[in-house]
Amino acid sequence: MDDNYVKIFDTTLRDGEQSPGATMTTPEKLEIARMLSRLGVDVIEAGFPAASNDDFDAVRCIAATVGSEAVSGRPQKTPPSICGLARAVERDLEWAAKAVAPAKFPRIHTFIATSDLHIEHKLRTTRADVLRRTSAMVRFARSLCADIEFSPEDAGRSDHEFLVEVVHAAIEAGATTINIPDTVGYLTPAEYGALIALLRERVPNSGRAIFSVHCHDDLGMATANSLAGIAAGARQAEVTINGLGERAGNAALEEVVMALATRRQRFGLTTGIDTTQLVRASKLVSQTIGFVVPPNKAVVGANAFAHESGIHQDGMLKNGLAYEIMLPASVGAGRTQLVLGKHSGRHAVGVRLGELGHELEGAALDAVFERYKAVADRKKQITDADLEAICSDSHIAPAGGEYSLLDLIVCCGTQGLATATVRINRPDGSVAVAAIIGSGPVDATFKAIDSILATSVTLLEYMVHAVTEGIDALGEVSVRVRDSEPVRDGDADAGSEARGQGRSEGIVYGNGADTDIVVASAKAYLKALNRVLAARPIRSHRTERFSQEKQGDTSS
Ligand code: KIV
Ligand code: ZN
């Protein structure tokens, strides 16, 4: 392999999904995996198969499709490796091996904590046992899959001598990638770079493995730490779209990749990423999980290429390089090229959607086109941003039967209380109607929906934003709700123990777009409630899998 090539290992679907409230369904994960493949990532960490039946199914589905199909639009590119995470225990490794098996390039990523803090207080064991388990479990993983990555969890706070021993043992047992996680985002760039250099130098068999960086952003240093590790010889970067991830998140893919591309003279390194897809990938992830990208976010924020001050604007008009180090088009942030209107046909809409990275056909395209026509009747021009909103509102197929909005009539104003009447299609095909008063139009609408679905949830967040400029802009509403139904005994404990890190359950997100923001609100709320209902059996599966796991684990 080219010594100057840095592999991009995307963990949006695994570490990213561990962000509280970022849980995704299998169709959503599949759509993101397809986007990552188009983006050109080398490895997709698709999930943690032993964590739940749902995680297992999602990894297997991605391995069977994205991991084995040619990358659309990029015929020369091989499909990405599909990776499943596993603790260093046989049961996890077996689940991971089964899940990634259909991929052309399957990988298992196994980990065990190496800091004394984790060894004594979390694993309640000894360094000797961790060393023994590393050798035994990497060897076992290697008997299941040819491509094994090993991570000493909390490497950033581990004793260096012990880390050298553990990494040596992992490579001896067959690991071909050694990932060094700064699990709690504690190190500074100089310390993290020095750690990678030390391991490459001191581990006797280090030349037989690729070193990888995995940095968390608790102190805002994840991108800087990743770059320091790469400068010290790491040739794989573990990153997520928009920097999603546990707590403050992981290093952002777009930042690490654009730093390497923009400062190529300094680093002398390349990646396989098609950087013109970065903004699209960012939007897809943000719309799927409802985490709004801050306008000042590096590379993909709405203001990343906006110039406000007179001095800056003057400089830009004289020479674009005055205040811009990257071209907007190089990250896919170019201005809208094509404006569609109410006379545009299904074909033109389909072609434009394809250019935007949504390859839809048949019923999925019909559904989006129907929404498109409804919006185009009310809005003169449909921009790319509108299309993205329509698309995210329409085509992600519901998992099983769902409640959907048929009609909404709201009376509100200065005279008296707001009243909402909703007509809702139930999963069994019957129609329910409810009329309720509320303190305002949105409150009345949500109460009317609640009265039909009878799900008990707490509304945590409600946000409206205009997708495009203008009075006829499409409004997008996002809501975040918490399922108030009690979790069964032991559920939360078992889940967080198996992941090795905390995971917040029961918070889901829904979004909806419409030219009428009350209608958009109703759609967003219904989507969230449908997800609450769909997640309830998954929460039970997770409990079952983990209670088996706990029994199996005591012997290892
Ligand atoms: O941050 C971390 O330590 C991890 C490991 C599982 C690699 O995500
Ligand atoms: Zn992590």
Side-chain angles (χ1 to χ4, degrees):
M1 207 186 79
D2 177 0
D3 284 349
N4 297 330
Y5 185 84
V6 179
K7 285 191 180 193
I8 299 298
F9 174 115
D10 182 278
T11 182
T12 307
L13 299 176
R14 198 280 297 171
D15 217 327
E17 208 212 8
Q18 287 176 211
S19 301
T23 310
M24 292 169 249
T25 62
T26 297
E28 288 168 343
K29 287 183 183 174
L30 187 58
E31 189 178 21
I32 290 177
R34 286 211 155 99
M35 177 78 238
L36 294 171
S37 170
R38 275 197 300 275
L39 192 61
V41 308
D42 301 277
V43 187
I44 297 176
E45 187 164 52
F48 188 169
S52 71
N53 294 340
D54 205 50
D55 284 31
F56 175 87
D57 291 345
V59 177
R60 191 155 170 104
C61 170
I62 290 168
T65 48
V66 182
S68 57
E69 69 194 2
V71 183
S72 76
R74 311 189 67 199
Q76 302 311 321
K77 185 103 185 155
T78 53
S81 301
I82 304 299
C83 177
L85 183 72
R87 288 173 299 169
V89 294
E90 287 190 4
R91 185 189 293 271
D92 274 29
L93 292 164
E94 281 162 354
W95 278 107
K98 269 189 224 142
V100 297
K104 192 157 180 208
F105 303 109
R107 175 182 288 197
I108 297 177
H109 175 190
T110 187
F111 70 98
I112 189 163
T114 49
S115 67
D116 289 335
L117 194 88
H118 279 230
I119 294 174
E120 281 161 31
H121 299 282
K122 192 183 80 172
L123 299 177
R124 302 216 166 103
T125 186
T126 58
R127 284 190 185 182
D129 183 47
V130 167
L131 193 58
R132 180 190 64 76
R133 274 159 75 167
T134 301
S135 294
M137 290 303 113
V138 171
R139 191 158 290 118
F140 179 66
R142 190 63 199 257
S143 73
L144 304 172
C145 178
D147 184 0
I148 302 301
E149 170 169 334
F150 171 76
S151 287
E153 192 193 4
D154 204 17
R157 292 186 298 171
S158 299
D159 174 70
H160 290 180
E161 296 304 322
F162 183 55
L163 210 48
V164 167
E165 275 187 81
V166 171
V167 169
H168 177 242
I171 299 174
E172 233 19 63
T176 43
T177 304
I178 297 293
N179 180 50
I180 303 300
D182 181 18
T183 303
V184 289
Y186 178 70
L187 298 184
T188 63
E191 287 170 327
Y192 188 74
L195 178 59
I196 298 287
L198 175 141
L199 291 171
R200 290 188 64 228
E201 200 185 301
R202 298 266 315 277
V203 173
N205 50 7
S206 65
R208 284 171 23 208
I210 291 185
F211 278 76
S212 164
V213 295
H214 181 112
C215 300
H216 280 270
D217 208 30
D218 299 66
L219 293 171
M221 295 189 284
T223 297
N225 284 353
S226 303
L227 293 171
I230 291 168
R235 287 295 174 267
Q236 176 178 283
E238 300 205 355
V239 286
T240 57
I241 302 288
N242 297 337
L244 206 64
E246 278 277 359
R247 305 179 311 278
N250 290 62
L253 180 150
E254 60 276 10
E255 294 175 14
V256 172
V257 166
M258 286 316 288
L260 293 176
T262 309
R263 303 300 310 276
R264 185 157 299 157
Q265 303 268 40
R266 171 156 181 88
F267 289 102
L269 300 170
T270 57
T271 70
I273 298 297
D274 174 0
T275 61
T276 64
Q277 303 285 322
L278 287 172
V279 167
R280 265 166 222 162
S282 161
K283 280 194 179 139
L284 177 63
V285 170
S286 127
Q287 281 166 358
T288 304
I289 56 161
F291 284 20
V292 175
V293 175
N296 61 337
K297 165 81 183 63
V299 183
V300 294
N303 291 351
F305 298 96
H307 304 272
E308 165 76 22
S309 89
I311 296 173
H312 284 211
Q313 286 178 351
D314 177 56
M316 285 300 293
L317 289 170
K318 288 175 179 146
N319 182 339
L321 294 176
Y323 289 102
E324 264 177 17
I325 55 167
M326 309 166 253
L327 290 175
S330 70
V331 299
R335 295 239 171 272
T336 302
Q337 299 293 314
L338 187 103
V339 179
L340 296 166
K342 76 175 191 182
H343 301 298
S344 308
R346 183 180 179 277
H347 180 70
V349 172
V351 168
R352 187 66 197 136
L353 283 167
E355 287 165 2
L356 292 174
H358 303 279
E359 275 145 33
L360 302 181
E361 344 178 287
L365 179 56
D366 289 344
V368 173
F369 187 59
E370 201 172 304
R371 285 276 303 122
Y372 169 86
K373 280 191 303 185
V375 175
D377 271 345
R378 283 181 275 163
K379 194 172 185 297
K380 270 200 208 122
Q381 292 182 336
I382 306 290
T383 63
D384 287 351
D386 291 326
L387 268 185
E388 297 272 11
I390 291 169
C391 205
S392 82
D393 192 37
S394 334
H395 83 278
I396 291 174
E402 289 198 345
Y403 291 87
S404 59
L405 184 70
L406 289 175
D407 287 308
L408 170 66
I409 299 164
V410 177
C411 290
C412 62
T414 51
Q415 303 284 315
L417 287 166
T419 315
T421 308
V422 293
R423 250 173 26 102
I424 285 180
N425 210 353
R426 290 202 185 95
D428 65 4
S430 63
V431 173
V433 183
I436 301 254
I437 52 170
S439 56
V442 175
D443 182 52
T445 303
F446 286 9
K447 281 185 173 144
I449 293 173
D450 279 340
S451 77
I452 293 174
L453 271 73
T455 35
S456 80
V457 299
T458 311
L459 183 65
L460 301 175
E461 193 180 285
Y462 171 83
M463 282 194 303
V464 188
H465 74 272
V467 173
T468 44
E469 304 102 55
I471 195 79
D472 63 352
L474 207 57
E476 189 171 42
V477 172
S478 52
V479 299
R480 206 171 290 284
V481 303
R482 186 196 301 277
D483 187 359
S484 311
E485 187 188 70
V487 177
R488 283 170 26 189
D489 274 359
D491 192 7
D493 281 358
S496 59
E497 178 197 309
R499 284 189 181 271
Q501 345 201 9
R503 173 173 174 145
S504 120
E505 294 283 348
I507 298 177
V508 300
Y509 156 81
N511 65 337
D514 202 279
T515 47
D516 180 323
I517 58 158
V518 186
V519 176
S521 305
K523 286 181 184 172
Y525 193 58
L526 257 182
K527 199 177 205 175
L529 295 194
N530 276 315
R531 284 177 171 170
V532 164
L533 292 172
R536 282 183 180 169
I538 292 169
R539 294 167 79 194
S540 310
H541 286 157
R542 185 167 283 131
T543 317
E544 281 152 26
R545 175 76 61 80
F546 284 131
S547 43
Q548 291 170 2
E549 190 71 63
K550 279 180 112 174
Q551 290 158 16
D553 211 8
T554 48
S555 56
S556 59

